[in-house]
Amino acid sequence: MCIFCKIAGGEIPAQFLYESAKVVAFRDLDPQAPVHILVIPRDHFENAAELAAADSATISELFTAARELATSEGLDGYRIAFNTGASAGQSVFHAHLHLLGGRAFAWPPG
Ligand code: 5GP
Ligand code: ZN
């Protein structure tokens, strides 16, 4: 079972900042901004593309979680990212939304 399946299933303890029927959210182990939260589907999908092909209800809950967490964390601007594929920086192959905020971000991203 993958590491995010273990976190979602409670096998690896994590403090959830948000929970709904289809998603959970917790802080990134190696934060890249003052606020760096991961929102993940409870079910396993390899990446955002596989999730998009399979389950639009879960995608909706991922974005609802991100919006509510941005508000509860007091973010006025923030960045949402789905690294999809190793060449784009994906290192955990269980789909996840990165919610980043609390500092300015450059564009284009590195
Ligand atoms: P990716 O590089 O796949 O887009 O993002 C994976 C993210 O998961 C990274 O930012 C990494 O720091 C984070 N991460 C990896 N393992 C764990 C873990 O066990 N716990 C938490 N909270 N974050 C993790
Ligand atoms: Zn998984």
Side-chain angles (χ1 to χ4, degrees), residues 12-38:
I12 294 175
Q15 194 181 343
F16 293 148
L17 306 175
Y18 183 97
E19 290 188 70
S20 67
K22 291 179 178 289
V23 309
V24 299
F26 51 90
R27 292 196 196 279
D28 196 289
L29 195 63
D30 180 21
Q32 302 302 311
V35 175
H36 186 174
I37 295 170
L38 302 173

Side-chain angles (χ1 to χ4, degrees), residues 8-108:
E11 204 174 309
I12 294 175
Q15 194 181 343
F16 293 148
L17 306 175
Y18 183 97
E19 290 188 70
S20 67
K22 291 179 178 289
V23 309
V24 299
F26 51 90
R27 292 196 196 279
D28 196 289
L29 195 63
D30 180 21
Q32 302 302 311
V35 175
H36 186 174
I37 295 170
L38 302 173
V39 190
I40 71 168
R42 291 184 187 272
D43 293 338
H44 183 89
F45 300 91
E46 181 166 324
N47 57 36
E50 190 184 289
L51 174 59
D55 189 347
S56 59
T58 299
I59 292 177
S60 173
E61 289 194 22
L62 287 173
F63 280 94
T64 297
R67 175 175 57 79
E68 294 194 10
L69 286 160
T71 300
S72 63
E73 295 286 320
L75 303 177
D76 51 357
Y78 52 90
R79 184 166 291 178
I80 286 170
F82 291 89
N83 297 328
T84 304
S87 63
Q90 187 176 4
S91 61
V92 175
F93 291 86
H94 177 130
H96 50 281
L97 178 157
H98 292 265
L99 173 67
L100 297 140
R103 66 169 172 84
F105 294 100
W107 192 262

